[in-house]
Amino acid sequence: MTMSPVRPLLVIALLAQSWCGVHTAEQCDVPESQKSLVTALLNQMLHSVSPDTAPDPSVLIASNLAGSQDVNTESLLVEQLKQDAINRVSKDLPFTSGKVALYVLALKSSCEDPTRVTSLGQTVNLVQVLEGKVKQELTNIDKYHTPLTTYYQVALDALALCVQGNAAAGPAGTALAKAVKDSQLDFPFSVDTGAVAVLALTCLSGMKATADVAKSDFFLEDTIGIILKKNILEQQQSDGSIGNIYSTGLAAQALTAAWQYYSPELWSCTKTLAKVLSEIPQGTFSIPISASQVLPFLKGKTYLDVGKSCAPENVPSITVDYTVVNDLLGHSFKFHVQIMVPEGSVLLRVMEKAQEINAKEFSFKAETLAQGVYITSINGLAESAKDRTYWQFFSGTKPLDQGVGSYKPKNKEHILAIYSKY
């Protein structure tokens, strides 16, 4: 079976580049008069986050891509996702490959390191977990010609690994492309699956891991072209939606990211944008997962932008002095340590690093509240409503006005945690 039927799409794109210099995506911005709709949708999505609800990684991804400035909600979600991931891995609870992939993308979108997810004294490498899950998916495909879960999840796997710069993305991308090549008469992907697959394969086209794909008996560009044609461009509706209104967000992200693989007249971004905006007042995207898929598109972003706003890996380190003090109850103690962390790290990271260095003296427990992370115990000494005691944090002699999950110490700053009365 050949890939020749989709070559015209690629030829058109290449000719467009040669005729017009550089083929760029259609300018597609939310009109100033309608930006309040996007803000309202973002706020509505963020209001779904609470200490009593299960964390949704898609919400964190969309929040960061949409440029939310709600530091407390981001801090709460990050900590919830860390704790949930560690709990699932340590207790061998259900954690599908696609779910792990979303957690990797979500944490990376908050500039966290998914290879070192640390919370309350435990650490897991989520990328390593994802690599293992992908191997299981690929083994199942080899044996039974179907993934262990779904191709949608395999596409998420390839996307997360590629965004992470991990070479294991290559075999996952190969599996997607082979499924397309071997199933053109009975096409295996939905609009959503095709959109995520396009994002993943577009990402792969720009990383060295695609060497594994290029050696196979198909062209990466052909695969992207086929999926765009069958799953997205041919699924456009007269009102600008793609597939249905709920699949439009991901499809629009794919078209935005893969603009070089189709002729620009085949999609009107402004028409799709107008349709999505018209649906917001109707409550169409009131469910967080629906909002999370359209918000990146409304902000001109795609999942390929995850982590791009983070500081480079060679960000300078800072030194923070950290002291815990108790002169109030039981045996007095005072422990001090110097911690080195990347510039811009929050205080919680300093505490975690101190705990790694000396688990006895700097151990702590925390709760995740709507306001952020709240420390309930340090060095085995817990707060007490009966004694009206709690752990108060200071920078020198000045009480902190932010929680440990959002406060970012400066170089050579002295942070003190003092057992105090209220």
Side-chain angles (χ1 to χ4, degrees), residues 147-307:
L148 187 63
T149 57
T150 63
Y151 276 113
Y152 180 81
Q153 296 202 41
V154 174
L156 280 173
D157 302 341
L159 175 61
L161 288 168
C162 182
V163 168
Q164 184 65 17
N166 188 296
T174 297
L176 291 171
K178 283 185 174 178
V180 172
K181 178 190 174 187
D182 296 340
S183 308
Q184 289 192 59
L185 295 179
D186 183 20
F187 206 66
F189 296 167
S190 65
V191 174
D192 286 350
T193 300
V196 178
V198 165
L199 288 168
L201 295 174
T202 301
C203 177
L204 275 167
S205 69
M207 71 175 283
K208 292 180 180 178
T210 53
D212 294 337
V213 178
K215 291 175 183 175
S216 303
D217 57 352
F218 59 85
F219 295 99
L220 183 63
E221 291 82 4
D222 281 341
T223 305
I224 295 172
I226 291 172
I227 301 173
L228 282 170
K229 180 176 183 293
K230 288 180 173 286
N231 280 114
I232 298 176
L233 294 171
E234 290 183 357
Q235 305 305 318
Q236 295 181 88
Q237 306 300 312
S238 59
D239 61 3
S241 59
I242 305 170
N244 60 49
I245 192 60
Y246 300 106
S247 58
T248 299
L250 284 176
Q253 283 192 52
L255 288 166
T256 300
W259 57 266
Q260 67 268 46
Y261 295 105
Y262 63 94
S263 186
E265 69 270 14
L266 296 179
W267 176 50
S268 172
C269 177
T270 53
K271 187 175 184 178
T272 298
L273 179 66
K275 174 59 177 175
V276 170
L277 289 169
S278 73
E279 292 290 332
I280 295 176
Q282 311 303 318
T284 302
F285 308 113
S286 58
I287 299 174
I289 185 63
S290 299
S292 73
Q293 292 177 349
V294 298
L295 276 166
F297 165 60
L298 292 172
K299 287 288 188 173
K301 302 288 186 180
T302 78
Y303 286 167
L304 297 189
D305 293 305
V306 164

Side-chain angles (χ1 to χ4, degrees), residues 317-320 338-342 349-350 353 357:
S317 294
I318 61 171
T319 299
V320 179
Q338 273 196 338
I339 299 297
M340 185 174 290
V341 292
R349 178 62 185 134
V350 173
K353 197 78 179 288
I357 293 171

Side-chain angles (χ1 to χ4, degrees), residues 76-139:
L76 171 61
L77 255 178
V78 167
E79 192 59 27
Q80 284 181 316
L81 289 169
K82 285 182 176 182
Q83 291 179 13
D84 188 56
I86 289 171
N87 188 50
R88 287 173 184 264
V89 173
S90 62
K91 296 182 180 178
D92 198 25
L93 298 175
F95 210 9
T96 64
S97 70
K99 192 80 166 179
V100 178
L102 283 172
Y103 275 53
V104 168
L105 287 168
L107 291 173
K108 190 172 182 66
S109 76
S110 281
C111 303
E112 298 281 340
D113 182 1
T115 67
R116 188 177 179 79
V117 179
T118 301
S119 180
L120 307 183
Q122 292 181 284
T123 302
V124 299
N125 183 338
L126 271 190
V127 175
Q128 190 175 68
V129 172
L130 181 56
E131 289 173 352
K133 299 283 185 181
V134 169
K135 286 181 180 178
Q136 294 174 0
E137 297 278 14
L138 299 181
T139 297

